[in-house]
Amino acid sequence: MPDEINAEVIVVDDDPSVQRALNRLLMTNGFARRIFGSAKEFLSDDKPSPAAGCLVLDVEMPGLDGLELQAELQKRGFRLPIVFITGHGTVPISVEAMKQGALDFLQKPFDSRSLLDVIRKAIEQSRQRSSEERECRDLELKFLTLSTREREVFRLIVKGLLNKQIAFELGIVEKTVKVHRARVMEKMQANSLAELIRMAETLRLPPCSSAIFASPTRAGRNQI
Amino acid sequence: MPDEINAEVIVVDDDPSVQRALNRLLMTNGFARRIFGSAKEFLSDDKPSPAAGCLVLDVEMPGLDGLELQAELQKRGFRLPIVFITGHGTVPISVEAMKQGALDFLQKPFDSRSLLDVIRKAIEQSRQRSSEERECRDLELKFLTLSTREREVFRLIVKGLLNKQIAFELGIVEKTVKVHRARVMEKMQANSLAELIRMAETLRLPPCSSAIFASPTRAGRNQI
DNA sequence: TCCCCCATTGGACCAAGGTCCAATTGCCTT
DNA sequence: AAGGCAATTGGACCTTGGTCCAATGGGGGA
């Protein structure tokens, strides 16, 4: 019963016996898995990271330890939920790991049930997050097809201005605003103003930030 | 230098010497504070909880311990950030506390600097959250002044429907929809459709949930 | 019972948004 | 140099949204 389709559990632990045990446990429970003996080994792996899944990290490892690996991954924008396992964890270490966003921190010995439960939870969470991220990326792609002018108009529409006010703001005629506006709706594939505004929210370009509106070198040349 | 105006630090610890030490530490650093010897004592206190501030909870206490108190407060909707301090904490306990949303978990002995830093951070966080909550409550109050019909129209507007479609949906004439719509804008004090839609987002009544639209027993009589 | 408020509708009218067709200017790439 | 696209504007026309004034029916509270 492969209840975890498309998801992959990535294990990083330097202890071969733990590797074997986890491998068997995950295998018999139908999880796709990838096992590494060190942070370095994992970081230099060039297979693309799975869309859904989770990391199971040992805390104590030669080279980069589990928490350092967590920090490094955070820096790189790697987003899978992390579950720590440890033989000699301390309170400060576990607290630090949790503050940095770890999903759980298990001390050996733990029963495999607990670990599997946590892993399932992690995978579900990663699924949810990845679908949100995909949605957001889709929006961003559409946003990128907008020309400079269209982005400005977009911003002012979301701000709640009337076409007339937008025209004044930009020093152009209302007629032109209408043209841009129509194109914004079309390119963003918005069926209503309400939808367009929610898109802006999702893109986190609420009525202020103009930084994101950084435009292509010049207008144009920016479809895809 | 009372740098923590309006904020209050609530301490719950059964050890009198800790109470005294924390009291002095907080006092000399200009924090308003309230100190309790047990969870029970704190829970039965009838002074209103401060808008901003934080809780400093001892983990080991007779009666309800720190974590149980945390759970109880969560159940009651009490929302101040929690910082745990403990003499004999274990990894599982600290992890559980963090999973339940604690801001930090300090093991004695800790230097007072650390605690003060955490407390300041907690207070800032509580400030931010409380201002968000107030904003949300203000919106809810306005929403409550809407009549049943107005709420339905509100929902359909946010869904992106045209007046005509809303009219069809509700089995009334477009003219009537306009009236309701105008009243919605007025009562919600929205200056533009964009604003109204953002309000709906904040109220978390995105284009689906009709549960929240539970109306007054009958239409009317529902201003304030 | 009387009044208030909600819900509803009508008509008139203006403002704003959307669409279709058409055209000009300026920059960048080919 | 030529073509392409962005940016701009014009005009005509229709659809929507918003506002003002006015009116009716119904239910609940004072």
Side-chain angles (χ1 to χ4, degrees):
Chain A
M1 56 175 81
D3 57 347
E4 306 302 349
I5 301 182
N6 290 332
E8 194 170 26
V9 178
I10 295 174
V11 175
V12 185
D13 193 312
D14 62 311
D15 183 337
S17 73
V18 173
Q19 292 182 15
R20 277 193 302 276
L22 287 182
N23 185 43
R24 205 172 46 238
L25 176 66
L26 293 171
M27 179 169 45
T28 62
N29 282 275
F31 290 94
R33 63 224 171 273
R34 215 186 294 177
I35 301 192
F36 301 93
S38 72
K40 186 162 178 288
E41 199 180 310
F42 166 52
L43 288 173
S44 58
D45 181 53
D46 46 357
K47 252 181 293 184
S49 62
C54 76
L55 264 68
V56 176
L57 304 186
D58 186 22
V59 174
E60 300 88 9
M61 291 188 293
L64 281 189
D65 70 26
L67 266 73
E68 290 166 338
L69 177 55
Q70 179 184 34
E72 178 61 25
L73 290 174
Q74 206 145 55
K75 217 187 307 171
R76 298 195 186 187
F78 191 92
R79 291 270 162 253
L80 292 187
I82 294 177
V83 176
F84 283 103
I85 56 180
T86 178
H88 311 85
T90 67
V91 168
I93 289 182
S94 68
V95 169
E96 183 57 25
M98 296 303 288
K99 285 208 280 189
Q100 294 310 313
L103 187 68
D104 212 328
F105 190 100
L106 301 179
Q107 244 179 339
K108 300 171 195 166
F110 49 80
D111 59 297
S112 50
R113 246 302 280 232
S114 315
L115 180 61
L116 289 174
D117 285 348
V118 175
I119 288 178
R120 290 204 182 88
K121 190 169 153 194
I123 289 176
E124 184 181 348
Q125 182 179 305
S126 85
R127 281 235 168 73
Q128 182 152 357
R129 191 162 53 194
S130 97
S131 92
E132 281 166 12
E133 275 171 8
R134 195 179 45 66
E135 204 170 318
C136 192
R137 257 200 316 284
D138 289 349
L139 272 187
E140 275 165 10
L141 286 183
K142 291 180 197 166
F143 184 77
L144 287 177
T145 69
L146 298 183
S147 70
T148 309
R149 212 34 150 186
E150 285 157 359
R151 291 177 197 192
E152 295 178 275
V153 172
F154 187 8
R155 183 172 61 89
L156 296 173
I157 289 175
V158 167
K159 203 170 158 186
L161 299 193
L162 300 179
N163 284 346
K164 187 183 293 186
Q165 300 171 307
I166 296 175
F168 176 77
E169 198 74 28
L170 298 179
I172 58 180
V173 172
E174 185 181 348
K175 186 58 196 28
T176 311
V177 174
K178 289 186 181 183
V179 176
H180 293 315
R181 183 176 187 136
R183 230 184 292 277
V184 168
M185 294 293 287
E186 183 194 339
K187 287 187 178 177
M188 296 302 291
Q189 300 175 278
N191 296 310
S192 65
L193 180 56
E195 235 181 280
L196 188 72
I197 291 170
R198 274 190 291 270
M199 288 179 182
E201 295 283 301
T202 302
L203 285 169
R204 276 185 298 287
L205 23 131
C208 35
S209 64
S210 55
I212 316 184
F213 285 88
S215 52
T217 316
R218 224 202 88 282
R221 276 335 85 73
N222 52 349
Q223 16 349 147
I224 296 184
Chain B
M1 56 175 82
D3 57 348
E4 307 301 349
I5 302 182
N6 289 332
E8 194 170 25
V9 179
I10 296 174
V11 175
V12 185
D13 193 313
D14 62 313
D15 183 338
S17 72
V18 173
Q19 291 182 16
R20 276 193 302 273
L22 287 181
N23 185 44
R24 203 171 47 238
L25 175 67
L26 293 171
M27 179 169 45
T28 62
N29 281 276
F31 289 95
R33 62 224 171 273
R34 216 186 293 179
I35 300 192
F36 301 93
S38 71
K40 185 162 178 288
E41 199 180 310
F42 166 53
L43 288 173
S44 58
D45 181 53
D46 47 357
K47 251 181 291 182
S49 61
C54 76
L55 264 67
V56 177
L57 304 187
D58 185 22
V59 174
E60 300 87 8
M61 290 188 291
L64 281 188
D65 69 27
L67 267 73
E68 290 166 337
L69 177 54
Q70 178 184 35
E72 178 61 25
L73 291 174
Q74 206 147 55
K75 217 186 308 170
R76 299 194 187 188
F78 193 91
R79 292 270 162 253
L80 291 187
I82 295 177
V83 177
F84 283 102
I85 54 180
T86 177
H88 310 84
T90 67
V91 168
I93 289 181
S94 68
V95 170
E96 182 57 25
M98 297 302 289
K99 285 209 280 189
Q100 294 310 312
L103 187 68
D104 212 329
F105 190 100
L106 301 178
Q107 245 180 339
K108 300 171 196 168
F110 49 80
D111 59 296
S112 50
R113 246 302 277 232
S114 316
L115 181 60
L116 289 174
D117 285 348
V118 175
I119 287 177
R120 289 204 183 86
K121 190 169 153 196
I123 288 175
E124 184 181 348
Q125 183 179 306
S126 85
R127 280 235 169 71
Q128 182 152 357
R129 190 160 55 194
S130 96
S131 93
E132 282 165 12
E133 276 172 6
R134 196 179 45 66
E135 203 170 318
C136 191
R137 255 200 316 286
D138 288 349
L139 272 187
E140 275 166 9
L141 285 183
K142 291 179 196 165
F143 184 77
L144 286 177
T145 69
L146 298 184
S147 69
T148 308
R149 212 34 148 188
E150 285 157 0
R151 292 177 197 192
E152 294 179 275
V153 171
F154 187 8
R155 182 171 61 89
L156 297 173
I157 289 174
V158 168
K159 202 169 160 188
L161 299 192
L162 301 179
N163 283 346
K164 187 184 292 187
Q165 300 171 306
I166 295 175
F168 177 78
E169 198 73 29
L170 298 179
I172 57 180
V173 173
E174 185 181 347
K175 185 58 195 30
T176 312
V177 174
K178 289 187 181 181
V179 176
H180 292 314
R181 183 175 188 138
R183 229 184 293 276
V184 168
M185 293 293 288
E186 183 194 339
K187 288 188 178 177
M188 295 302 292
Q189 299 175 278
N191 296 310
S192 66
L193 180 55
E195 235 180 279
L196 188 71
I197 290 171
R198 275 190 290 271
M199 288 179 183
E201 296 283 301
T202 302
L203 285 169
R204 276 185 298 289
L205 23 130
C208 36
S209 64
S210 55
I212 316 183
F213 284 87
S215 53
T217 318
R218 225 202 85 278
R221 279 330 91 67
N222 51 348
Q223 19 348 148
I224 297 182

mmCIF file of all heavy atoms in Angstrom, chain A residues 5 43 47 87 90 117 122 126 134-135 138 147 193 206 216:
data_model
loop_
_atom_site.group_PDB
_atom_site.id
_atom_site.type_symbol
_atom_site.label_atom_id
_atom_site.label_comp_id
_atom_site.label_asym_id
_atom_site.label_seq_id
_atom_site.Cartn_x
_atom_site.Cartn_y
_atom_site.Cartn_z
ATOM 1 N N ILE A 5 2.595 8.273 -2.339
ATOM 2 C CA ILE A 5 3.008 8.461 -3.719
ATOM 3 C C ILE A 5 3.674 9.810 -3.938
ATOM 4 O O ILE A 5 3.241 10.826 -3.409
ATOM 5 C CB ILE A 5 1.781 8.358 -4.640
ATOM 6 C CG1 ILE A 5 1.154 6.986 -4.441
ATOM 7 C CG2 ILE A 5 2.185 8.553 -6.091
ATOM 8 C CD1 ILE A 5 -0.022 6.726 -5.308
ATOM 9 N N LEU A 43 24.263 17.291 0.441
ATOM 10 C CA LEU A 43 24.269 18.603 -0.222
ATOM 11 C C LEU A 43 24.823 18.531 -1.642
ATOM 12 O O LEU A 43 24.451 19.326 -2.502
ATOM 13 C CB LEU A 43 25.084 19.608 0.605
ATOM 14 C CG LEU A 43 24.416 20.057 1.901
ATOM 15 C CD1 LEU A 43 25.364 20.914 2.721
ATOM 16 C CD2 LEU A 43 23.136 20.823 1.593
ATOM 17 N N LYS A 47 20.499 15.073 -7.657
ATOM 18 C CA LYS A 47 19.125 14.751 -8.049
ATOM 19 C C LYS A 47 18.229 15.870 -7.538
ATOM 20 O O LYS A 47 18.474 16.437 -6.472
ATOM 21 C CB LYS A 47 18.703 13.405 -7.427
ATOM 22 C CG LYS A 47 18.604 12.283 -8.480
ATOM 23 C CD LYS A 47 18.165 10.966 -7.870
ATOM 24 C CE LYS A 47 19.207 10.389 -6.939
ATOM 25 N NZ LYS A 47 18.837 9.062 -6.396
ATOM 26 N N GLY A 87 20.744 10.636 19.544
ATOM 27 C CA GLY A 87 21.070 9.720 20.622
ATOM 28 C C GLY A 87 21.363 10.454 21.910
ATOM 29 O O GLY A 87 21.052 9.980 22.996
ATOM 30 N N THR A 90 20.254 17.424 23.818
ATOM 31 C CA THR A 90 20.096 18.205 25.036
ATOM 32 C C THR A 90 18.919 19.150 24.838
ATOM 33 O O THR A 90 18.473 19.389 23.713
ATOM 34 C CB THR A 90 21.334 19.056 25.313
ATOM 35 O OG1 THR A 90 21.444 20.061 24.297
ATOM 36 C CG2 THR A 90 22.588 18.198 25.320
ATOM 37 N N ASP A 117 4.564 8.091 12.246
ATOM 38 C CA ASP A 117 3.503 9.091 12.388
ATOM 39 C C ASP A 117 4.011 10.479 12.051
ATOM 40 O O ASP A 117 3.386 11.232 11.314
ATOM 41 C CB ASP A 117 2.966 9.087 13.835
ATOM 42 C CG ASP A 117 2.071 7.885 14.095
ATOM 43 O OD1 ASP A 117 1.704 7.204 13.119
ATOM 44 O OD2 ASP A 117 1.748 7.632 15.269
ATOM 45 N N ALA A 122 4.680 15.070 8.359
ATOM 46 C CA ALA A 122 5.606 15.955 7.645
ATOM 47 C C ALA A 122 5.303 15.952 6.154
ATOM 48 O O ALA A 122 5.301 17.002 5.507
ATOM 49 C CB ALA A 122 7.043 15.497 7.892
ATOM 50 N N SER A 126 4.243 19.000 3.774
ATOM 51 C CA SER A 126 5.031 19.409 2.609
ATOM 52 C C SER A 126 4.160 19.441 1.369
ATOM 53 O O SER A 126 4.340 20.276 0.495
ATOM 54 C CB SER A 126 6.213 18.468 2.406
ATOM 55 O OG SER A 126 5.836 17.331 1.664
ATOM 56 N N ARG A 134 3.285 26.230 -5.594
ATOM 57 C CA ARG A 134 3.082 26.112 -7.027
ATOM 58 C C ARG A 134 2.069 27.144 -7.500
ATOM 59 O O ARG A 134 2.249 27.836 -8.496
ATOM 60 C CB ARG A 134 2.619 24.701 -7.385
ATOM 61 C CG ARG A 134 2.736 24.391 -8.875
ATOM 62 C CD ARG A 134 2.292 22.967 -9.177
ATOM 63 N NE ARG A 134 1.051 22.614 -8.506
ATOM 64 C CZ ARG A 134 -0.129 23.165 -8.759
ATOM 65 N NH1 ARG A 134 -0.220 24.124 -9.669
ATOM 66 N NH2 ARG A 134 -1.208 22.787 -8.111
ATOM 67 N N GLU A 135 1.015 27.264 -6.710
ATOM 68 C CA GLU A 135 -0.011 28.235 -7.031
ATOM 69 C C GLU A 135 0.593 29.631 -7.117
ATOM 70 O O GLU A 135 0.318 30.394 -8.042
ATOM 71 C CB GLU A 135 -1.058 28.194 -5.912
ATOM 72 C CG GLU A 135 -2.421 28.680 -6.289
ATOM 73 C CD GLU A 135 -3.416 28.355 -5.173
ATOM 74 O OE1 GLU A 135 -3.345 27.232 -4.614
ATOM 75 O OE2 GLU A 135 -4.226 29.225 -4.851
ATOM 76 N N ASP A 138 2.748 30.048 -10.211
ATOM 77 C CA ASP A 138 1.934 30.232 -11.412
ATOM 78 C C ASP A 138 1.534 31.697 -11.553
ATOM 79 O O ASP A 138 1.594 32.277 -12.634
ATOM 80 C CB ASP A 138 0.684 29.357 -11.346
ATOM 81 C CG ASP A 138 1.015 27.882 -11.513
ATOM 82 O OD1 ASP A 138 2.169 27.577 -11.876
ATOM 83 O OD2 ASP A 138 0.124 27.039 -11.283
ATOM 84 N N SER A 147 3.755 44.074 -18.856
ATOM 85 C CA SER A 147 4.736 45.110 -19.190
ATOM 86 C C SER A 147 4.837 46.076 -18.010
ATOM 87 O O SER A 147 4.040 46.018 -17.080
ATOM 88 C CB SER A 147 4.297 45.866 -20.436
ATOM 89 O OG SER A 147 3.175 46.659 -20.139
ATOM 90 N N LEU A 193 -12.702 41.609 -10.869
ATOM 91 C CA LEU A 193 -11.811 42.462 -10.096
ATOM 92 C C LEU A 193 -11.486 41.795 -8.762
ATOM 93 O O LEU A 193 -10.354 41.845 -8.280
ATOM 94 C CB LEU A 193 -12.475 43.820 -9.866
ATOM 95 C CG LEU A 193 -11.652 44.814 -9.062
ATOM 96 C CD1 LEU A 193 -10.292 45.031 -9.705
ATOM 97 C CD2 LEU A 193 -12.392 46.133 -8.923
ATOM 98 N N PRO A 206 0.662 44.033 -1.807
ATOM 99 C CA PRO A 206 -0.385 44.918 -1.304
ATOM 100 C C PRO A 206 -0.056 46.364 -1.620
ATOM 101 O O PRO A 206 1.099 46.696 -1.898
ATOM 102 C CB PRO A 206 -0.404 44.643 0.205
ATOM 103 C CG PRO A 206 0.066 43.248 0.311
ATOM 104 C CD PRO A 206 1.124 43.145 -0.743
ATOM 105 N N PRO A 216 11.409 45.142 -16.163
ATOM 106 C CA PRO A 216 12.436 44.760 -17.127
ATOM 107 C C PRO A 216 13.210 46.005 -17.524
ATOM 108 O O PRO A 216 12.717 47.134 -17.412
ATOM 109 C CB PRO A 216 11.621 44.232 -18.310
ATOM 110 C CG PRO A 216 10.194 44.639 -18.041
ATOM 111 C CD PRO A 216 10.085 44.782 -16.587
#
